[in-house]
Amino acid sequence: MDTMQNLSRTHYCGNLREADAGKAVTVAGWAQKTRDKGSLVFVDLRDRSGVLQLVFDDAAPEDLRKKAGGVRAEYVLMATGVLRERTAKNSDLPTGGVELAVRDLRILAKSETPPFEITDHTNVKEELRLKYRYLDLRRGEMQQNLRLRHRIVKATRDFYDKNGFLEVETPMFIKETPEGARSYLVPSRVHPGSFYALPQSPQLYKQLLMLAGYDRYMQIARCFRDEDLRADRQPEFTQIDVEMSFVTEDDVMQMNEDFLVFLFKEVMGIELPTPFRRIPYAEAMARYGSDKPDTRFGLEIVDLSEPLRGTEFKVFAGAVAGGGSVRGINVKGAAARLSRKEIDSLTAVARTYRAGGLAFTRLAADAESSSYEKFLSDAEKQAVRDMLKAEPGDVLLIVADTKDPTVLTSLGALRGTLAAKLELIPPNSYDLLWVVDFPLFDYDEESGRYVAMHHPFTSPKPEDAHKLESDPASVRARAYDIILNGVELGGGSVRISDPALQQRMFAALGMDEATQQERFGFLLEAFRYGVPPHGGIAFGLDRLVMLLAGCGSIREVIAFPKVQNAGDLMADCPSPVDQKSLDELHIALTGNL
Ligand code: ASP
């Protein structure tokens, strides 16, 4: 193998242009492709900036040409020569106007034939790409994604720095901080039988930094959550984590709205319209069937319960009488595009959200059909059509259930499915909005108790706080989520800063005094020493980059991601450890693994 001796790189491949013609140039990188035409050999050389054509023509010594002809894909090369303008230019390539007439070629490393070709766009299976992630990362597409990620992180730090925020690192080995998921545990060797948790977020530490007087904190923070992985979740992910003192929710929202405006301008050159819309949670659910509504298209949900409350049709009347509702959407002008069969597949979508079924009216030009109108009186039928503003050509879709959330979430899911299917979403549009006035609690059917909708440190609205014990379901939180194109980009809240209220909150979550002390004693104690009013937010960095890169998955913007079952296909982990390591940690495996 050759060495680099007496050679040092002068340029990156992708930056060379016609204006550089005549310069002595040394480049380095990986061979993308070799074309050997005997007296003329071409090698496309790739580095992180792009691709440059190397040419070995008859002016080059025979043995140099032969050496070039032996170059295979992904060999590591260094080449020196004179840059010249090409006679036949390639307008597809930024460097397509020039080529390097090589005088010295060094082969610094050989490569086996890679398991897939390294090209910008690829349809190689993702498992293979992840097993050989270091090769996948050579592709221009991945390089662009990671570069965008870097620019976003850089702009983020710049913005918060300019606004007086201090980046502080919080620990990775902590006492558990609940964010509603399971924590990853780290066994302690020196405290046999005891465990650290990896942070689900730096929540408590950032609050303690406020108590400590740091006033404005931010961190690009790695977080860990051991969830049953749903699509597009990672066990470790990154947040832009922010906390501020002496603020109300308006202050936090304004600062972070300014951040997003700055980021879009800086990184994408996009001017976002301000102020962002604010939609109360109840309205988001009622109109869009989601607490992260995508408002780039219509298909708004209409409550049809009133005119149907007294109908003979039991499915509708029963839903209302049982405390639920009947609601529908009008898919405008879709009769020609939604066949009966397609309506059946929409019914399947509604069913996955626990709806019993999907009632429809299809106002096709040739023949109207409906699954429910025959059961309604003329007045009821007309009322439904009027409320949904039905016109010829429309399709009306209706869900009825005794549980209101089932009606709403299934129609919400249908909105999304229909928008994608009917291509209702304008391309390159960014729809940013805040959802506010969240409930403080969620009722967990499984355990039969209330859980914090956000986390246990979120403050109730002062006017609702008296109902914490008597009517928890009706208490609203000082919480807000930021939504981009129907995706939750981040969320936060004004925190509880009164220790007595914090204890009432813990109690409302079913934690007795002893458990509170055992789990959060340090926080409650800290709160006795002067805690300022404070609040904050965290953005999901991976999602943010994914949306700005226009990718379909966060794995496309993470250098070394895990797959659905939390495994790392490249390093093949998690993996068993030897007995000695287990013994040192005082861990015995149960055997029924
Ligand atoms: N710690 C919260 C989260 O990870 C964000 C916040 O409340 O600031 O979702």
Side-chain angles (χ1 to χ4, degrees):
M1 215 64 59
D2 300 326
T3 68
M4 282 178 54
Q5 211 149 37
N6 304 326
L7 270 196
S8 55
R9 176 168 57 192
T10 59
H11 293 83
Y12 281 99
C13 295
N15 301 339
L16 292 162
R17 297 288 182 273
E18 277 93 328
D20 300 305
K23 284 187 186 159
V25 163
T26 302
V27 285
W30 285 258
Q32 172 120 330
K33 193 154 63 186
T34 308
R35 278 157 292 148
D36 186 351
K37 305 195 163 159
S39 61
L40 199 60
V41 180
F42 295 105
V43 176
D44 286 346
L45 190 72
R46 174 197 344 105
D47 65 17
R48 70 172 213 198
S49 64
V51 172
L52 177 69
Q53 174 166 292
L54 311 182
V55 58
F56 304 79
D57 58 15
D58 42 17
E62 170 91 44
D63 57 340
L64 182 61
R65 269 206 320 265
K66 258 184 82 188
K67 190 175 188 181
V71 166
R72 298 283 166 263
E74 305 311 316
Y75 276 26
V76 181
L77 309 177
M78 223 162 170
T80 291
V82 175
L83 197 77
R84 69 186 188 201
E85 244 185 278
R86 288 201 212 177
T87 35
K89 303 198 172 177
N90 174 358
S91 56
D92 293 340
L93 210 62
T95 63
V98 290
E99 61 189 4
L100 186 66
V102 179
R103 292 292 163 260
D104 184 2
L105 174 73
R106 310 274 174 93
I107 297 179
L108 301 180
K110 292 189 171 178
S111 166
E112 290 180 18
T113 307
F116 52 87
E117 199 192 339
I118 314 294
T119 50
D120 270 8
H121 304 286
T122 186
N123 46 25
V124 172
K125 277 224 319 255
E126 198 185 9
E127 288 89 87
L128 194 64
R129 290 176 51 207
L130 289 175
K131 180 161 167 51
Y132 297 96
R133 186 58 152 184
Y134 43 85
L135 296 180
D136 189 42
L137 288 172
R138 284 186 190 163
R139 299 188 310 109
E141 223 173 33
M142 289 306 298
Q143 301 234 349
Q144 261 170 35
N145 290 350
L146 292 189
R147 197 159 311 153
L148 177 70
R149 187 180 178 114
H150 164 81
R151 282 173 39 227
I152 290 173
V153 169
K154 163 87 169 60
T156 300
R157 288 204 162 103
D158 287 349
F159 174 85
Y160 288 106
D161 176 64
K162 244 189 291 170
N163 284 284
F165 288 75
L166 222 58
E167 182 158 10
V168 181
E169 288 168 88
T170 51
M172 287 283 134
F173 287 8
I174 64 164
K175 196 175 170 88
E176 190 170 6
T177 298
E179 291 280 359
R182 202 175 285 123
S183 293
Y184 279 96
L185 299 178
V186 181
S188 163
R189 183 179 55 81
V190 290
H191 301 276
S194 288
F195 296 80
Y196 303 98
L198 298 181
Q200 293 187 34
S201 86
Q203 186 61 35
L204 292 185
Y205 290 91
K206 67 174 175 175
Q207 290 193 236
L208 291 174
L209 285 169
M210 295 303 102
L211 190 139
Y214 284 79
D215 199 71
R216 288 181 172 197
Y217 143 97
M218 71 82 65
Q219 184 182 191
I220 306 292
R222 192 64 62 87
C223 304
F224 306 85
R225 296 184 192 176
D226 186 3
E227 293 174 290
D228 293 326
L229 295 184
R230 280 176 274 153
D232 223 22
R233 291 267 178 133
Q234 287 285 311
E236 54 176 309
F237 60 95
T238 308
Q239 283 188 344
I240 300 168
D241 197 41
V242 174
E243 196 75 7
M244 305 166 74
S245 288
F246 304 104
V247 288
T248 63
E249 40 276 68
D250 281 338
D251 299 320
V252 182
M253 282 190 274
Q254 188 59 55
M255 175 63 72
N256 291 288
E257 188 163 317
D258 290 350
F259 160 61
L260 289 172
V261 168
F262 171 82
L263 188 72
F264 271 70
K265 180 91 189 75
E266 189 79 2
V267 178
M268 309 287 288
I270 292 172
E271 302 270 359
L272 290 176
T274 54
F276 299 171
R277 212 143 50 100
R278 294 186 186 182
I279 305 183
Y281 170 86
E283 184 184 332
M285 290 305 296
R287 288 173 64 187
Y288 306 103
S290 169
D291 60 358
K292 31 185 180 294
D294 191 335
T295 63
R296 290 174 299 171
F297 56 91
L299 299 179
E300 283 192 28
I301 299 170
V302 177
D303 189 350
L304 307 167
S305 306
E306 258 340 289
L308 297 174
R309 175 181 297 283
T311 179
E312 297 277 294
F313 184 35
K314 288 285 164 284
V315 176
F316 288 173
V320 182
S325 61
V326 185
R327 297 174 197 254
I329 53 180
N330 180 352
V331 195
K332 277 264 149 239
R337 297 188 60 188
L338 289 180
S339 63
R340 271 302 305 272
K341 222 173 107 206
E342 272 157 325
I343 293 177
D344 286 346
S345 75
L346 294 173
T347 308
V349 173
R351 288 219 163 97
T352 58
Y353 288 81
R354 303 220 179 110
L358 182 66
F360 71 91
T361 295
R362 197 164 158 266
L363 300 171
D366 44 356
E368 293 186 358
S369 58
S370 172
S371 65
Y372 64 86
E373 285 195 338
K374 55 182 174 287
F375 303 119
L376 304 185
S377 71
D378 283 348
E380 289 159 357
K381 179 173 128 182
Q382 199 52 46
V384 169
R385 286 195 180 199
D386 289 348
M387 288 180 86
L388 287 170
K389 301 198 171 61
E391 288 171 331
D394 294 350
V395 175
L396 315 180
L397 300 175
I398 295 178
V399 175
D401 199 279
T402 50
K403 291 204 172 87
D404 217 17
T406 302
V407 178
L408 290 169
T409 51
S410 52
L411 284 170
L414 284 177
R415 281 187 78 241
T417 309
L418 284 161
K421 195 185 190 77
L422 303 174
E423 294 167 2
L424 302 179
I425 300 174
N428 302 325
S429 51
Y430 295 99
D431 175 37
L432 273 143
L433 55 90
W434 294 101
V435 174
V436 296
D437 296 348
F438 278 87
L440 188 63
F441 299 103
D442 225 357
Y443 188 71
D444 181 37
E445 302 267 348
E446 232 166 80
S447 59
R449 51 165 128 139
Y450 286 100
V451 293
M453 187 140 188
H454 196 55
H455 53 54
F457 316 104
T458 296
S459 175
K461 289 200 177 243
E463 63 271 31
D464 289 353
H466 67 279
K467 295 185 290 189
L468 214 49
E469 291 80 11
S470 56
D471 186 10
S474 75
V475 178
R476 286 164 308 156
R478 298 180 72 181
Y480 31 80
D481 274 359
I482 178 86
I483 312 300
L484 170 54
N485 294 350
V487 176
E488 183 194 330
L489 207 54
S493 58
V494 169
R495 322 300 183 188
I496 296 173
S497 53
D498 166 9
L501 183 58
Q502 185 65 68
Q503 282 188 282
R504 282 175 60 206
M505 178 70 183
F506 287 148
L509 293 168
M511 245 183 271
D512 62 24
E513 191 76 39
T515 314
Q516 292 178 23
Q517 280 309 325
E518 194 255 312
R519 295 184 62 190
F520 300 114
F522 70 105
L523 183 79
L524 294 171
E525 182 174 22
F527 273 20
R528 301 211 299 258
Y529 295 98
V531 52
H534 61 289
I537 192 168
F539 297 95
L541 176 67
D542 309 290
R543 282 189 203 167
L544 180 62
V545 181
M546 172 187 87
L547 290 168
L548 294 190
C551 294
S553 152
I554 56 172
R555 292 186 297 276
E556 298 297 320
V557 299
I558 297 174
F560 297 101
K562 310 270 189 298
V563 290
Q564 191 87 4
N565 68 2
D568 173 341
L569 296 182
M570 182 185 69
D572 191 19
C573 85
S575 47
V577 295
D578 57 26
Q579 192 57 44
K580 183 164 167 283
S581 310
L582 290 176
D583 290 346
E584 277 172 354
L585 294 167
H586 311 277
I587 287 181
L589 301 180
T590 58
N592 45 9
L593 301 172

